[in-house]
Amino acid sequence: DQQVKQNSPSLSVQEGRISILNCDYTNSMFDYFLWYKKYPAEGPTFLISISSIKDKNEDGRFTVFLNKSAKHLSLHIVPSQPGDSAVYFCAASALGSGTYKYIFGTGTRLKVLA
Amino acid sequence: GAVVSQHPSWVICKSGTSVKIECRSLDFQATTMFWYRQFPKQSLMLMATSNEGSKATYEQGVEKDKFLINHASLTLSTLTVTSAHPEDSSFYICSASKTSGGTDTQYFGPGTRLTVL
């Protein structure tokens, strides 16, 4: 049972344009969400997070949007740069229930074309 | 800050042998460490959560006798794959948190590629 889903395995975007990565979840107990970036043969690096009390969080070129009613979050990267090419994982946690573990999606491979 | 290292970065072993993977938080004290496994083109799957000085909590379906986890200090956790078999070949990644979790970020190590022949 995949509780966190990233339905697009890959995405190609032209440099300078917006990249939009999507993530859906099924567990209504999830109240904290994160995005990680991962390069091959490396561990994931934290990008941005959002609590369920918010619907938007912005950090530089990265913005995460949360739509609780649709159980959907998205990561926007503007403008996209070739160095952003990586696999992006969304993760969810149910902090309110006292469990701090992250459930990861399957990842979306972003390729930013120069 | 918040650097996590893993050693070794890759290991090849014969079937039936045991392999130990170390996870260290280099510049902070990690109250909680997590161990994940990632198969090709799949998600990171949490194997277990460990707090310093106490027994690890394993996820459903993970054999605690096969994957031994020790969190002996606030900067070191080890994962030992006992009697490894080819199906244990995977990418093992640890992460560390400064607190017991919550909104505190998990910082990931670079991972260890295990190949069992």
Side-chain angles (χ1 to χ4, degrees), chain B residues 57-114:
Chain B
T57 302
Y58 290 81
E59 294 300 300
Q60 194 173 10
V62 178
E63 300 174 58
K64 60 179 68 175
D65 293 330
K66 180 168 184 61
F67 299 99
L68 302 178
I69 292 172
N70 184 277
H71 192 163
S73 75
L74 285 172
T75 60
L76 173 64
S77 176
T78 60
L79 167 68
T80 301
V81 183
T82 62
S83 187
H85 288 98
E87 58 265 29
D88 299 323
S89 299
S90 186
F91 193 56
Y92 292 86
I93 308 177
C94 72
S95 71
S97 177
K98 296 176 184 176
T99 65
S100 59
T103 57
D104 197 23
T105 302
Q106 289 182 32
Y107 299 96
F108 284 81
T112 297
R113 170 79 56 195
L114 171 63

Side-chain angles (χ1 to χ4, degrees), chain A residues 4 17 30 42 49 61 69 73 82 86 89 100:
Chain A
V4 179
R17 307 293 284 267
F30 289 147
E42 292 184 13
S49 63
R61 298 186 296 114
S69 60
L73 64 154
F89 291 95
Y100 300 134

Side-chain angles (χ1 to χ4, degrees), chain A residues 41-74:
Chain A
E42 292 184 13
T45 53
F46 171 74
L47 269 179
I48 193 168
S49 63
I50 188 167
S51 164
S52 61
I53 62 173
K54 292 185 171 183
D55 53 20
K56 176 183 174 181
N57 189 26
E58 190 172 351
D59 183 3
R61 298 186 296 114
F62 302 92
T63 303
V64 55
F65 295 92
L66 176 63
N67 182 333
K68 289 186 288 295
S69 60
K71 295 192 178 66
H72 176 84
L73 64 154
S74 61

Side-chain angles (χ1 to χ4, degrees), chain B residues 27-46:
Chain B
D27 51 2
F28 67 100
Q29 293 189 322
T31 302
T32 307
M33 285 186 168
F34 304 84
W35 286 95
Y36 294 83
R37 180 169 54 184
Q38 185 186 24
F39 292 107
K41 297 185 179 180
Q42 293 189 25
S43 178
L44 285 83
M45 298 299 294
L46 180 65

